[in-house]
């Protein structure tokens, strides 16, 4: 098992992709610190993991946009385990339904505070634990293909993911000389519970947008994250691994590329 006896923190690990990532590391031998923003979310996440017969995890409540809650979470992790080997920055505010011309600035800021500031705050606290360790550590951020190919009515989200691109590179060059690798996985469409609200027509259209014809599963994203966190990627840092079925490679979907 690639992560036997490793201590791994996954933020936003209470649903969808976050659950998949947590499950991947547990199955591969890690002890996973499952972060969620509320007790209710954590209970739901624990129920999902238990339903998979996975038990090697611990729950840590913290809103990552709140530095006091982040510091408290890391104090608990350090007290309980004494170290942290891998950080997966997965938590995100999706910023749904926010049109550029009507979006209040406080809503724009709310998305950035979770996605960008939250990633910075969690990473900074993780690094404080990792640097004194002999084995240092690894950080994998969750970005998005929208950071380079914007989608409609998601300005705050797109902006935050563009920031994650830059933050990943900056962290990587600052931390590489000190033994910590930092990389990013950039998904496209992911099959989540939000797809249950989509019409068959919308789902069909989405799949036609993807050269491979199928959206990613949480397992697809988890495998990419696990690769970057593993020793197989020991000479990779500052990179952006796109997992989007080929969307970023194309100019237009096949049916309208005329």
């Amino acid at each position: 098992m690639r992560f036997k006896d490793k201590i791994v923190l996954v933020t936003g690990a209470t649903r969808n992709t976050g659950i998949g990532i947590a499950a991947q590391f547990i199955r591969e031998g890690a002890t996973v610190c499952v972060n969620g923003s509320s007790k209710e979310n954590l209970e739901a996440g624990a129920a999902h993991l238990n339903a998979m017969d996975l038990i090697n995890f611990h729950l840590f409540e913290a809103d990552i946009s709140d530095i006091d809650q982040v510091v408290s979470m890391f104090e608990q992790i350090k007290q309980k385990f004494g170290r942290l080997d891998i950080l997966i920055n997965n938590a995100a505010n999706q910023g749904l339904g926010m049109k550029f011309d009507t979006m209040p600035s406080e809503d724009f800021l709310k998305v950035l505070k979770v996605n960008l500031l939250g990633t910075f705050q969690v990473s900074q606290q993780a690094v404080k634990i990792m640097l004194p360790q002999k084995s240092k550590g690894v950080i994998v951020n969750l970005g998005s293909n929208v950071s380079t190919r914007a989608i409609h009515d998601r300005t705050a989200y797109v902006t935050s993911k563009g920031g994650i691109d830059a933050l990943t590179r900056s962290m990587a060059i600052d931390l590489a000389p000190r033994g910590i690798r930092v990389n990013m996985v950039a998904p496209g469409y992911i099959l989540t519970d939000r797809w249950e609200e989509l019409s068959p027509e919308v789902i069909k259209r989405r799949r036609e947008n993807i050269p491979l014809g199928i959206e990613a599963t949480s397992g697809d994203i988890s495998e990419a994250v696990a690769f970057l966190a593993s020793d197989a990627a020991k000479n990779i840092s500052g990179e952006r691994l796109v997992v989007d079925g080929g969307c970023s490679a194309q100019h237009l979907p096949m049916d309208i590329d005329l």
Side-chain angles (χ1 to χ4, degrees):
M1 291 187 286
R2 288 181 291 183
F3 305 107
K4 182 175 172 55
D5 299 326
K6 297 290 187 182
I7 306 299
V8 180
L9 169 62
V10 184
T11 65
T14 61
R15 59 184 297 196
N16 295 320
T17 307
I19 287 286
I21 294 171
Q24 177 88 30
F25 282 100
I26 295 170
R27 291 187 181 114
E28 295 206 44
T31 297
V32 174
C33 302
V34 171
N35 160 257
S37 60
S38 70
K39 181 180 178 181
E40 293 73 24
N41 288 343
L42 285 170
E43 289 174 349
H48 281 296
L49 292 170
N50 287 330
M52 301 179 210
D53 295 322
L54 300 174
I55 59 172
N56 198 19
F57 63 89
H58 300 264
L59 306 178
F60 293 88
E61 181 181 348
D63 174 352
I64 65 166
S65 69
D66 184 323
I67 186 59
D68 292 334
Q69 293 186 41
V70 171
V71 169
S72 175
M73 175 175 68
F74 276 93
E75 287 174 348
Q76 295 171 54
I77 290 171
K78 188 171 184 179
Q79 182 175 13
K80 190 170 188 65
F81 301 109
R83 73 178 204 276
L84 180 66
D85 300 297
I86 298 167
L87 165 64
I88 311 300
N89 282 307
N90 169 75
N93 181 327
Q94 296 292 323
L96 298 171
M98 296 184 180
K99 292 185 179 296
F100 178 82
D101 56 327
T102 59
M103 176 175 39
S105 57
E106 56 265 29
D107 288 349
F108 180 85
L109 185 58
K110 189 181 297 183
V111 174
L112 265 65
K113 284 183 69 175
V114 173
N115 298 0
L116 191 51
L117 178 63
T119 296
F120 165 78
Q121 292 180 158
V122 171
S123 298
Q124 191 176 63
Q125 295 302 313
V127 166
K128 290 179 180 180
I129 295 179
M130 290 175 173
L131 282 176
Q133 299 171 174
K134 183 178 180 180
S135 61
K136 305 306 179 185
V138 179
I139 298 173
V140 181
N141 297 327
L142 269 291
S144 172
N145 66 351
V146 306
S147 65
T148 59
R149 299 176 67 86
I151 53 179
H152 295 281
D153 298 333
R154 298 285 293 281
T155 294
Y157 181 75
V158 170
T159 302
S160 71
K161 292 303 181 178
I164 294 294
D165 283 11
L167 179 62
T168 299
R169 292 190 297 271
S170 183
M171 289 170 59
I173 65 166
D174 280 357
L175 297 173
R178 305 174 77 183
I180 296 175
R181 295 191 298 109
V182 185
N183 289 291
M184 178 181 65
V185 172
Y189 290 119
I190 308 174
L191 182 64
T192 68
D193 55 16
R194 289 186 293 275
W195 283 55
E196 297 170 6
E197 302 172 5
L198 301 177
S199 69
E201 292 76 22
V202 170
I203 292 174
K204 180 176 181 291
R205 176 67 258 180
R206 284 190 175 192
R207 289 174 176 163
E208 288 173 351
N209 292 339
I210 307 169
L212 285 178
I214 190 66
E215 68 281 358
T217 65
S218 62
D220 295 326
I221 306 306
S222 301
E223 287 286 357
V225 168
F227 164 68
L228 288 175
S230 75
D231 288 342
K234 67 180 185 299
N235 200 38
I236 300 174
S237 196
E239 287 302 317
R240 179 178 187 266
L241 176 56
V242 180
V243 185
D244 70 356
C247 286
S248 295
Q250 73 179 356
H251 179 58
L252 294 169
M254 185 181 297
D255 62 326
I256 56 174
D257 190 6
L258 302 172

